[in-house]
Amino acid sequence: MTEVEAKKPQESLQDRLAQVVELLHRHKLVEDLTHRQEGQHPDLVENLVHRQNLVELQRKLDDLHSADVAHILEALPLDDRLTVWQLVKVERDGDILLEVSDAVRESLLDDMEDHEILAAAKDMDADELADLASELPRDVVHELMETLDAQQRERVRSALSYEEEQVGALMDFEMVTIREDVSLEVVLRYLRRLKELSGHTDKLFVVDYDGVLKGVLPVKRLLVNDPDKLVSEVMATDPVSFHPDEDAYDAAQAFERYDLISAPVVDKNGKLIGRLTIDEMVDLIREESESEVLNMAGLREEEDIFASVWKSLRNRWAWLAINLITAFLASRVIGLFEDSIEKLVALAALMPIVAGIGGNSGNQTITMIVRAMALDQVSTGNTSRLIRKELGVALINGLVWGGVIGVVAYLLYDSWSLGVVMIAAMTLNLLLAALMGVLIPMTLVRMGRDPALGASVMITAVTDSGGFFIFLGMASVFLL
Amino acid sequence: MTEVEAKKPQESLQDRLAQVVELLHRHKLVEDLTHRQEGQHPDLVENLVHRQNLVELQRKLDDLHSADVAHILEALPLDDRLTVWQLVKVERDGDILLEVSDAVRESLLDDMEDHEILAAAKDMDADELADLASELPRDVVHELMETLDAQQRERVRSALSYEEEQVGALMDFEMVTIREDVSLEVVLRYLRRLKELSGHTDKLFVVDYDGVLKGVLPVKRLLVNDPDKLVSEVMATDPVSFHPDEDAYDAAQAFERYDLISAPVVDKNGKLIGRLTIDEMVDLIREESESEVLNMAGLREEEDIFASVWKSLRNRWAWLAINLITAFLASRVIGLFEDSIEKLVALAALMPIVAGIGGNSGNQTITMIVRAMALDQVSTGNTSRLIRKELGVALINGLVWGGVIGVVAYLLYDSWSLGVVMIAAMTLNLLLAALMGVLIPMTLVRMGRDPALGASVMITAVTDSGGFFIFLGMASVFLL
């Protein structure tokens, strides 16, 4: 992965996107006109304008950093996206494919012939190939592997042998290794013989003859120390290092905590087998927070916002179906009290307030707990203390807001006993929301699941059914 | 900011936290015993054990990286947190204060005397001081400023003059500057005269005699090129640079997109005034996703999970109060149809299903749009296309899930017309949810607000009131 020199962003990304869209629209307008005249003489002038627009668009795209082109592709609807994708120079296809999101990459790959994919992938590094392999046609992967030398092939295989969320799947192999018994002068001369250093080379890796990691030489120490000193005198002997089967998210947190730029990955025997870099970790941090948001809302995965209706449905159906069941259960709870509602129809109007506030409050609790768990601040050990605190918050909220709505209920329906039931039901439902807001994510974690998984749907299910039951039950006992 | 060499994390952070908690508990147990014997002879043996535990705990803490101590402080309840904080060596107070979250920092500062704060802050860099200044007692800030030299004081003032979300507030001043007309050999010798390079020095900044930025010399180019070459031959002349009044989040996205480690900040005349580094940007990326999650759930800010009940209440009240109003409005909508419910009590049991599924589906839409907006993929320009797609998804969901629940309603209440009203109401409410799921965040952005702000509360308000109105209204017209 070579670091491309990015253009100074005098114009914002939004501006560039707007320019591309503008050119696309001009292009399509002309195309429409030309189409309408089919069968007649194709108008030469319009064809010329057409071609000029495309040339201008292509020039615009050539000026942009691959990451910016990737961003523009993500922000375009499918047909425009494919028009732009056709205009991108073939030799940049690989870089751009690596930059776009999974959903968008799928749409681009669908549009490519096997030989195009092959051309795009042929300059990729082993770790990049491994990233893409699962999404490429089987034949193409096979053919690509044939073109690699033995070491590269071994690296791809090794990277593919790890789960997506393991360090091994994210490491690259662009590390510069040196020996500890040479002087810094020798290291400097060695580096000058290399044509270039890969991005994120903030340290060199010191290994022995068996490839076992002895330490790291930060480039900044290489620069400020006397060239006559030996590597062993200057290197750091106890660097933060990772194992390939470690959880990648833990590694990302370590990068964040210790402000790392790159770090060695070693196998069980301490042998250096790769390195992690901050750019991959930043991607991971972003993806992790994204999946938290998506999981809480009951979306299965990130969605290409211009995905087809059908793809969106697949992404959203699972949790909607679960929500349908929970909503049906809540409805049956109400069904139990139909007699009471018939006698006092005000209950029907007031019951959604109890359920709704409970849902909102429960969502606040669960959001906070999920966040704290993601940051490793909560273990199952301090559950009881957290529950006590949340119950305290819920009790006060219940008495205060329940009191407010109780007074309103009294004023509306002229029944002080209805007001009191309202206060009691609100308080009890908020206590239930607090309890479940702590217990649901804790239980999910104990079961080895993501604590955010459908958290919002679940807490709402509890506070709806629970709220209806508590309110209607108390009303039936005390008011009727 | 000097980069501290972090210990190899052989033990996970969770393990370390567990060890500290274990030592704390042993300590407290002994303290309790000693307390109970107050008035009697203090038991010498127990006092000894007590002191041993504290010494062990202190030794444990001394071994940990400041960032790890910060993490442990965040994960401890207030009383334990302050016990640990007292044990931390004074000279590390500053580093740790810079690492902890705002909420936790407040609790630590509350526990410190002015002279302790002064001691902790005296070795901080200008940018670090500026970060903390707003949270420190006014007297302390004043006294600190007195101890600074003119340049440092100017830097603190300048950093304080920017809003929290501007580049100027996040930049540091640790840049190494060189001239373009010297050879790389001269640069190498100059660097060796420095005692050390600050973290994240992946490039040197090339300036002219007026301090205007001419380019950057990436350290990796310095290392691989012939030392006889001039800086001007090797430097990159068009680097990504930022202005101090730019939006910091845009800068973070540029760091992510172009894989930057550091970047120059220049004023309007092109003069170099500071630099941004990836570690600050990573923090920002994390904070931004956090605030998205918190905003959607209606929490005002990140909460110290062990905050007092009172603090938690303040954080959560605003949105609960709004939710109370929206729930009340939904209740009044139901109130309009009390006659209908009295006649057909099944309506009371079925209406929450219509509202609930609408809320869930609307939350899915709004989550997706907010995400896409955060990634700059959606502009107000493609609103209509998005609305069309979301309406399509809603229509199919409404017909399918509405159909399922319609059949169930028919089976339960033996009324096919009730089933048909159910299908129609579900479909209409899902269409409403889709429309508002797109329009709410778009409108918030047009008003210059955060699109995630209370998004969940608002969409639920619409789907509740709307769902009740549609369902009960149709039932009143067609069934009664």
Side-chain angles (χ1 to χ4, degrees):
Chain A
M1 186 177 23
T2 59
E3 195 180 303
V4 185
E5 211 57 51
K7 284 269 166 128
K8 188 174 167 177
Q10 293 116 330
E11 20 171 44
S12 82
L13 210 57
Q14 281 287 352
D15 294 342
R16 292 184 201 155
L17 179 58
Q19 288 166 14
V20 169
V21 169
E22 156 79 16
L23 286 167
L24 267 171
H25 282 182
R26 259 195 270 159
H27 155 65
K28 276 208 289 199
L29 209 69
V30 180
E31 207 169 44
D32 283 357
L33 281 173
T34 328
H35 245 259
R36 230 173 288 154
Q37 293 176 334
E38 238 171 341
Q40 302 168 28
H41 308 280
D43 190 320
L44 273 176
V45 179
E46 271 162 1
N47 255 333
L48 205 66
V49 175
H50 184 176
R51 222 174 307 138
Q52 267 180 352
N53 279 331
L54 278 190
V55 168
E56 198 180 332
L57 183 54
Q58 186 149 34
R59 201 177 310 130
K60 183 91 215 146
L61 291 171
D62 289 348
D63 277 353
L64 293 175
H65 190 280
S66 298
D68 293 338
V69 177
H71 177 266
I72 286 172
L73 289 170
E74 286 173 355
L76 290 175
L78 191 62
D79 46 351
D80 289 352
R81 184 185 295 160
L82 295 181
T83 309
V84 168
W85 183 232
Q86 298 297 347
L87 289 178
V88 169
K89 288 235 169 71
V90 175
E91 60 267 32
R92 300 179 68 190
D93 280 4
D95 279 348
I96 295 169
L97 279 177
L98 289 167
E99 294 276 357
V100 292
S101 70
D102 290 357
V104 170
R105 186 184 305 130
E106 202 185 317
S107 71
L108 298 179
L109 286 171
D110 280 352
D111 190 54
M112 292 170 80
E113 305 279 341
D114 279 7
H115 71 92
E116 288 176 307
I117 300 179
L118 218 49
K122 76 174 189 323
D123 291 328
M124 287 185 188
D125 291 327
D127 60 306
E128 296 168 340
L129 269 183
D131 283 350
L132 241 57
S134 65
E135 297 168 53
L136 300 179
R138 201 173 277 258
D139 292 355
V140 174
V141 175
H142 194 74
E143 206 163 324
L144 277 171
M145 291 294 269
E146 304 266 286
T147 65
L148 299 177
D149 63 32
Q151 191 196 31
Q152 288 291 93
R153 195 151 44 209
E154 190 38 53
R155 284 175 169 175
V156 175
R157 285 231 179 83
S158 134
L160 282 175
S161 71
Y162 295 101
E163 303 285 325
E164 208 181 324
E165 63 275 14
Q166 284 183 317
V167 163
L170 291 178
M171 65 186 182
D172 69 43
F173 307 97
E174 320 254 325
M175 56 275 188
V176 178
T177 56
I178 53 174
R179 302 259 178 265
E180 62 180 325
D181 55 358
V182 298
S183 70
L184 300 188
E185 181 61 43
V186 172
V187 173
L188 286 169
R189 268 190 279 132
Y190 169 66
L191 292 180
R192 271 179 217 127
R193 285 215 307 276
L194 302 174
K195 265 179 313 196
E196 66 167 6
L197 288 176
S198 68
H200 302 99
T201 302
D202 72 317
K203 48 177 70 86
L204 312 177
F205 300 103
V206 186
V207 295
D208 67 14
Y209 284 87
D210 297 323
V212 171
L213 185 74
K214 308 299 285 182
V216 297
L217 178 63
V219 165
K220 53 183 199 172
R221 292 200 191 171
L222 174 64
L223 288 172
V224 297
N225 276 287
D226 182 345
D228 291 335
K229 280 194 186 164
L230 290 180
V231 168
S232 56
E233 297 174 68
V234 178
M235 71 182 188
T237 50
D238 197 13
V240 179
S241 65
F242 299 95
H243 291 293
D245 45 9
E246 260 180 89
D247 183 54
Y249 190 62
D250 288 346
Q253 289 192 311
F255 264 73
E256 207 179 335
R257 200 170 304 123
Y258 307 126
D259 291 342
L260 300 174
I261 291 170
S262 74
V265 180
V266 296
D267 68 10
K268 277 186 198 104
N269 306 315
K271 220 173 127 177
L272 179 71
I273 55 173
R275 65 162 195 169
L276 286 179
T277 53
I278 181 72
D279 53 331
E280 293 283 350
M281 297 298 110
V282 171
D283 290 350
L284 199 65
I285 290 170
R286 186 178 281 290
E287 275 168 30
E288 190 71 22
S289 350
E290 276 171 19
S291 80
E292 192 186 311
V293 177
L294 298 176
N295 274 340
M296 290 202 58
L299 294 163
R300 284 203 314 168
E301 53 187 31
E302 195 180 356
E303 204 174 294
D304 173 0
I305 50 162
F306 297 108
S308 64
V309 167
W310 175 237
K311 274 202 182 154
S312 295
L313 283 171
R314 272 198 321 205
N315 190 24
R316 304 185 197 177
W317 265 11
W319 280 107
L320 273 186
I322 293 175
N323 186 226
L324 196 74
I325 296 169
T326 65
F328 179 71
L329 290 178
S331 161
R332 292 325 297 148
V333 170
I334 299 173
L336 294 177
F337 297 97
E338 278 181 2
D339 292 347
S340 310
I341 293 173
E342 236 165 1
K343 283 184 209 139
L344 185 58
V345 75
L347 298 182
L350 293 175
M351 65 187 186
I353 301 183
V354 177
I357 309 277
N360 187 347
S361 173
N363 265 307
Q364 289 184 336
T365 300
I366 215 166
T367 300
M368 218 205 54
I369 302 283
V370 167
R371 297 258 60 242
M373 292 188 115
L375 299 174
D376 270 339
Q377 286 172 3
V378 180
S379 57
T380 42
N382 37 24
T383 313
S384 66
R385 187 186 272 266
L386 279 172
I387 289 181
R388 269 197 312 262
K389 177 196 150 189
E390 290 300 319
L391 288 180
V393 174
L395 185 66
I396 299 181
N397 273 334
L399 293 176
V400 173
W401 299 125
V404 170
I405 210 75
V407 169
V408 173
Y410 162 71
L411 293 174
L412 271 175
Y413 296 101
D414 198 23
S415 154
W416 66 264
S417 52
L418 186 60
V420 172
V421 165
M422 198 71 196
I423 300 177
M426 280 272 280
T427 308
L428 284 177
N429 199 32
L430 287 182
L431 290 173
L432 177 68
L435 189 65
M436 299 311 286
V438 179
L439 289 183
I440 288 176
M442 295 268 180
T443 310
L444 283 169
V445 164
R446 278 217 187 125
M447 287 162 56
R449 311 300 291 266
D450 184 334
L453 195 66
S456 187
V457 172
M458 280 195 268
I459 191 79
T460 309
V462 171
T463 53
D464 275 1
S465 293
F468 294 143
F469 185 81
I470 293 168
F471 177 64
L472 295 175
M474 289 180 73
S476 303
V477 172
F478 296 111
L479 301 181
L480 302 173
Chain B
M1 186 176 29
T2 58
E3 196 181 299
V4 186
E5 212 56 54
K7 283 272 165 122
K8 188 172 167 180
Q10 293 117 330
E11 21 170 42
S12 81
L13 209 56
Q14 281 287 355
D15 293 343
R16 290 184 204 157
L17 179 58
Q19 287 165 15
V20 170
V21 169
E22 157 79 14
L23 286 168
L24 267 171
H25 282 182
R26 258 194 273 159
H27 155 64
K28 276 208 291 198
L29 208 69
V30 179
E31 208 170 42
D32 283 357
L33 282 173
T34 328
H35 244 259
R36 231 174 285 157
Q37 293 175 333
E38 237 169 339
Q40 302 170 26
H41 310 278
D43 190 320
L44 273 175
V45 178
E46 270 161 3
N47 254 332
L48 205 68
V49 175
H50 183 175
R51 221 175 308 138
Q52 267 181 352
N53 279 331
L54 279 189
V55 168
E56 199 180 332
L57 183 52
Q58 186 150 35
R59 200 177 311 129
K60 183 90 215 148
L61 291 171
D62 289 348
D63 276 354
L64 293 176
H65 189 281
S66 298
D68 293 338
V69 178
H71 177 265
I72 286 173
L73 289 171
E74 286 173 355
L76 289 175
L78 192 61
D79 45 351
D80 289 351
R81 185 186 295 160
L82 296 181
T83 309
V84 169
W85 184 232
Q86 299 297 351
L87 290 178
V88 170
K89 287 234 171 69
V90 176
E91 60 265 32
R92 299 179 68 191
D93 280 3
D95 279 349
I96 294 169
L97 279 178
L98 289 167
E99 294 276 357
V100 293
S101 70
D102 290 356
V104 171
R105 187 183 306 128
E106 202 185 317
S107 71
L108 298 180
L109 286 171
D110 280 351
D111 191 54
M112 291 169 82
E113 306 280 342
D114 279 8
H115 71 91
E116 289 175 310
I117 300 180
L118 218 50
K122 76 174 189 320
D123 292 328
M124 288 184 187
D125 292 326
D127 60 305
E128 295 168 341
L129 269 184
D131 283 350
L132 239 57
S134 65
E135 297 167 53
L136 299 179
R138 202 172 278 256
D139 293 353
V140 174
V141 174
H142 193 74
E143 206 163 327
L144 277 171
M145 292 294 270
E146 304 266 285
T147 65
L148 298 177
D149 63 32
Q151 189 196 32
Q152 288 291 95
R153 195 152 43 209
E154 191 36 55
R155 284 175 171 175
V156 175
R157 285 231 179 82
S158 133
L160 283 175
S161 71
Y162 296 103
E163 303 284 327
E164 208 182 325
E165 63 277 12
Q166 285 184 316
V167 163
L170 291 179
M171 65 185 181
D172 69 44
F173 307 97
E174 322 253 325
M175 55 275 189
V176 177
T177 55
I178 53 174
R179 304 257 178 264
E180 63 179 323
D181 55 358
V182 298
S183 70
L184 300 188
E185 180 61 43
V186 171
V187 173
L188 287 169
R189 267 190 279 133
Y190 169 66
L191 292 178
R192 270 179 218 129
R193 285 216 308 275
L194 302 174
K195 266 180 312 196
E196 65 167 6
L197 288 175
S198 68
H200 302 100
T201 302
D202 72 318
K203 49 177 71 83
L204 313 177
F205 300 103
V206 186
V207 295
D208 66 14
Y209 284 86
D210 297 322
V212 171
L213 186 73
K214 309 298 286 181
V216 296
L217 177 64
V219 165
K220 52 182 200 169
R221 292 199 193 170
L222 174 64
L223 288 172
V224 298
N225 277 287
D226 182 347
D228 291 335
K229 280 194 186 163
L230 291 179
V231 168
S232 55
E233 296 174 71
V234 178
M235 71 182 188
T237 51
D238 197 13
V240 180
S241 66
F242 300 95
H243 291 293
D245 46 8
E246 261 180 89
D247 183 53
Y249 191 61
D250 288 347
Q253 288 192 311
F255 265 73
E256 206 178 335
R257 200 172 303 123
Y258 307 127
D259 291 341
L260 301 174
I261 291 170
S262 74
V265 179
V266 296
D267 68 10
K268 277 185 197 105
N269 307 314
K271 220 173 125 176
L272 179 71
I273 55 173
R275 65 163 195 168
L276 286 179
T277 54
I278 180 74
D279 54 331
E280 293 283 350
M281 298 297 109
V282 171
D283 290 350
L284 199 66
I285 290 170
R286 185 179 280 288
E287 275 168 30
E288 189 69 23
S289 351
E290 276 171 19
S291 80
E292 192 186 310
V293 177
L294 299 175
N295 276 339
M296 291 203 55
L299 293 163
R300 283 204 313 169
E301 52 187 30
E302 195 178 356
E303 204 173 295
D304 173 0
I305 49 161
F306 298 108
S308 65
V309 168
W310 176 237
K311 276 203 180 151
S312 296
L313 284 171
R314 273 197 322 203
N315 189 26
R316 304 185 197 177
W317 265 12
W319 280 107
L320 274 186
I322 293 175
N323 187 226
L324 196 74
I325 297 169
T326 64
F328 179 70
L329 290 178
S331 161
R332 292 323 299 147
V333 170
I334 299 173
L336 294 177
F337 297 98
E338 279 183 359
D339 291 348
S340 311
I341 294 173
E342 238 167 355
K343 284 184 208 137
L344 185 58
V345 74
L347 298 182
L350 292 175
M351 65 186 185
I353 300 183
V354 177
I357 309 277
N360 187 349
S361 172
N363 266 308
Q364 289 183 337
T365 300
I366 215 166
T367 300
M368 217 204 55
I369 302 283
V370 167
R371 297 259 59 243
M373 292 188 115
L375 299 174
D376 270 339
Q377 286 172 4
V378 180
S379 57
T380 42
N382 38 25
T383 313
S384 65
R385 187 187 272 264
L386 279 173
I387 289 181
R388 269 198 312 259
K389 177 197 150 190
E390 289 301 319
L391 288 180
V393 174
L395 185 67
I396 298 179
N397 272 334
L399 293 175
V400 172
W401 298 125
V404 170
I405 211 76
V407 168
V408 173
Y410 162 71
L411 293 175
L412 271 175
Y413 296 99
D414 199 21
S415 154
W416 66 264
S417 52
L418 186 60
V420 171
V421 165
M422 198 71 195
I423 299 176
M426 281 272 281
T427 308
L428 284 177
N429 199 30
L430 287 182
L431 290 173
L432 178 67
L435 189 65
M436 299 311 288
V438 179
L439 289 183
I440 288 176
M442 295 270 180
T443 309
L444 283 169
V445 163
R446 278 215 188 126
M447 288 163 56
R449 310 300 290 268
D450 183 333
L453 195 67
S456 187
V457 172
M458 281 196 269
I459 191 79
T460 309
V462 170
T463 52
D464 275 1
S465 293
F468 293 142
F469 185 80
I470 292 169
F471 177 63
L472 294 176
M474 290 181 71
S476 304
V477 172
F478 296 112
L479 301 181
L480 302 174

